[in-house]
Amino acid sequence: MSTTTSDLPKEGFRLSQLIYDTRYRSITIQSVVFLLVCAGIWWLLDNLWANLANLGLTPNFSFIGSRSGYDIATSPGTAILEYSSASTHLQAAWVGILNTLVVSILGIILATVIGVIAGVLRLSKNWIVSKLMAVYVEGFRNVPLLLWIVAIYALMTESTPTPRDFRLDDSGSAAASMWFDAIAVTNRGVYIPGPIWGANATALVIITILSFIAAFAYRRYAKKLLFDTGRLLPMLWPALAILIVPPFLAFFALGQ
């Protein structure tokens, strides 16, 4: 009488299968690693609690409602939440979270605009523009953002002066000088003069808007003339002149 494979007795489970059987080996390794990680976290927490107890400290979150005693640098009039050194740590945490969200959103928008422009310029038929954008893309591609943050932070803090270096001494001179007597680059940030809405600012804005409209109208006229008569008019330099010269002259004329 013949027997089939299904008639063979099934082999029982053995502990050695946890190591030698590929069906259970991955589960065994993951379980061991999980237990080791849990043991390491427990050891760190136990060590932390023991050291705090030796110092007479009790970990809690009561400090959240206490006075912070430190400032958060913000531009005047741009703070999302009112904050001062007399505010609580909880208020400081909210300010930090909102500032992080604002910087993240602005960074995403700016990165999208720059990325689209760089991608389009890389496909340009102009050899110089295409190669420059290729160097830019390949230089920034796959480089962690944290690395750029650390590099820029180290460059700003090590190679730029402190804000106190811009203060005038008794002789009327300072250890550091501003760019164009208006821009101060320090290890705390870059400070530039804010725009002031003066009496003639409205007229300057109107002239600038009209210059944009006139430059756009000139380009449309030049294209229409080309399609209708085949006559080619210069487009770039006249448009730039219409766009830049009137606001430039108005700025100096209205500023007098």
Side-chain angles (χ1 to χ4, degrees):
M1 183 177 182
S2 62
T3 59
T4 61
T5 306
S6 59
D7 296 332
L8 296 176
K10 296 183 178 180
E11 185 180 2
F13 176 78
R14 300 189 308 274
L15 291 177
S16 60
Q17 290 179 319
L18 294 176
I19 299 177
Y20 299 106
D21 196 325
T22 56
R23 294 175 298 174
Y24 305 104
R25 184 186 303 163
S26 61
I27 300 177
T28 302
I29 295 175
Q30 294 177 38
S31 300
V32 172
V33 171
F34 177 75
L35 293 176
L36 291 176
V37 171
C38 291
I41 294 175
W42 174 260
W43 179 82
L44 291 175
L45 292 176
D46 183 69
N47 189 32
L48 173 64
W49 288 101
N51 291 332
L52 291 175
N54 293 333
L55 297 174
L57 301 176
T58 302
N60 55 61
F61 293 95
S62 60
F63 70 93
I64 290 180
S66 60
R67 180 178 181 273
S68 61
Y70 49 82
D71 295 322
I72 298 178
T74 55
S75 300
T78 60
I80 302 177
L81 292 178
E82 294 296 331
Y83 176 83
S84 65
S85 58
S87 302
T88 62
H89 290 286
L90 180 60
Q91 185 77 357
W94 282 116
V95 171
I97 293 173
L98 291 177
N99 286 345
T100 302
L101 292 176
V102 170
V103 171
S104 300
I105 293 173
L106 294 178
I108 291 172
I109 296 174
L110 182 61
T112 302
V113 173
I114 295 177
V116 170
I117 294 175
V120 172
L121 292 179
R122 190 179 181 185
L123 300 176
S124 174
K125 296 181 179 179
N126 188 301
W127 186 86
I128 297 178
V129 174
S130 177
K131 294 303 179 183
L132 287 176
M133 288 300 102
V135 172
Y136 169 79
V137 172
E138 296 300 331
F140 283 91
R141 175 182 291 177
N142 295 330
V143 178
L145 179 60
L146 181 60
L147 183 60
W148 287 113
I149 293 175
V150 172
I152 295 174
Y153 176 79
L155 179 65
M156 291 293 293
T157 55
E158 297 296 332
S159 61
T160 55
T162 61
R164 67 170 61 94
D165 293 332
F166 292 88
R167 295 177 180 175
L168 299 178
D169 54 20
D170 296 336
S171 61
S173 61
S177 59
M178 297 185 180
W179 293 1
F180 308 105
D181 294 330
I183 303 175
V185 180
T186 73
N187 59 1
R188 297 290 184 86
V190 179
Y191 298 89
I192 60 176
I196 299 177
W197 194 266
N200 299 320
T202 303
L204 182 60
V205 171
I206 293 175
I207 293 174
T208 303
I209 294 175
L210 292 177
S211 298
F212 273 97
I213 296 175
F216 179 75
Y218 173 80
R219 289 181 61 86
R220 289 198 62 180
Y221 169 75
K223 289 181 179 179
K224 185 176 184 303
L225 185 66
L226 176 63
F227 293 149
D228 293 343
T229 65
R231 180 184 175 187
L232 179 61
L233 293 178
M235 300 179 63
L236 179 60
W237 298 114
L240 288 177
I242 296 173
L243 183 64
I244 297 175
V245 173
F248 183 79
L249 295 177
F251 175 79
F252 287 98
L254 296 175
Q256 299 298 328

